[in-house]
Amino acid sequence: MTTLPHRPATALLIIDVQNDVMVNAHERESVVDNIVALVSRARETSTPVIWVQHSADDELNFGTDGWKLLDVLPVVPTDPVVHKKHGDAFEDTTLEDALAAAEAGHVVVAGAHTDFCVRSTLHGALVRGYDVTLVSDAHTAEDLTQWGAPLPEQVIAHTNMYWDNQTAPGRIAAAVPTEDIAFP
């Protein structure tokens, strides 16, 4: 039901699954396993897979080992890779161009960090007219309780709950576990 005309396709969007981002990620191994499974299923149906990499001068320097995507991720040279400097992967990036080229009006989102870049990109996609599915067991956060944040499992559960109940005119938002994601 996307509000974007002539965009019948779906794309899988993997956000910031980078070495330094994932160091202290909650349930890191199971999240990465779910992402690998999603990518495999997407490829079986020729669903485009788009990778997002964050960089920031003060925390995650472009081109460094910490900035690189995890080695276990099945990235292929033809996959679009979007480089961003803001939480929302649409802001000042090539993401919209990659989605338009794929004729995607629906994005399936997984990655890190739930409470920053994942959440910002979910909202960014919805307000731009996309249908947005959050993969409920394929996003993660780190423990930021020392700064007053809830425990990572609470951040993840809350995000799943509110995204599954998100609404916008002519668009669909949902939180769905990996096993129930079906690519067209």
Side-chain angles (χ1 to χ4, degrees):
M1 271 182 52
T2 177
T3 61
L4 300 170
H6 314 294
R7 297 275 195 98
T10 295
L12 175 60
L13 184 60
I14 309 297
I15 301 172
D16 300 350
V17 185
Q18 298 163 257
N19 291 324
D20 281 357
V21 174
M22 296 296 288
V23 168
N24 296 312
H26 178 72
E27 295 188 4
R28 178 185 191 272
E29 296 306 316
S30 64
V31 168
V32 171
D33 288 347
N34 287 340
I35 289 170
V36 170
L38 288 164
V39 171
S40 175
R41 289 208 314 254
R43 295 207 194 287
E44 290 171 3
T45 60
S46 298
T47 298
V49 178
I50 301 172
W51 304 91
V52 176
Q53 283 180 279
H54 188 80
S55 64
D57 295 335
D58 59 340
E59 58 189 55
L60 196 58
N61 293 312
F62 185 92
T64 63
D65 285 340
W67 168 85
K68 293 178 181 174
L69 296 170
L70 297 181
D71 286 339
V72 301
L73 297 174
V75 181
V76 298
T78 56
D79 290 339
V81 178
V82 173
H83 301 285
K84 69 178 181 64
K85 293 185 179 229
H86 306 285
D88 180 350
F90 286 91
E91 289 295 332
D92 196 28
T93 69
T94 59
L95 179 55
E96 175 55 35
D97 294 336
L99 291 168
E103 298 181 349
H106 176 214
V107 291
V108 175
V109 178
H113 280 278
T114 300
D115 40 1
F116 294 106
C117 298
V118 170
R119 188 176 291 180
S120 294
T121 301
L122 291 170
H123 288 281
L126 193 67
V127 300
R128 286 172 175 86
Y130 291 87
D131 291 334
V132 186
T133 301
L134 172 63
V135 186
S136 61
D137 56 358
H139 64 98
T140 186
E142 64 182 340
D143 188 340
L144 301 176
T145 55
Q146 67 181 353
W147 292 284
L151 291 168
E153 56 268 25
Q154 293 170 324
V155 169
I156 293 163
H158 181 255
T159 302
N160 288 338
M161 181 271 308
Y162 90 73
W163 197 256
D164 203 35
N165 290 286
Q166 195 66 242
T167 62
R171 285 155 280 167
I172 298 169
V176 177
T178 298
E179 68 182 31
D180 293 338
I181 296 290
F183 295 106

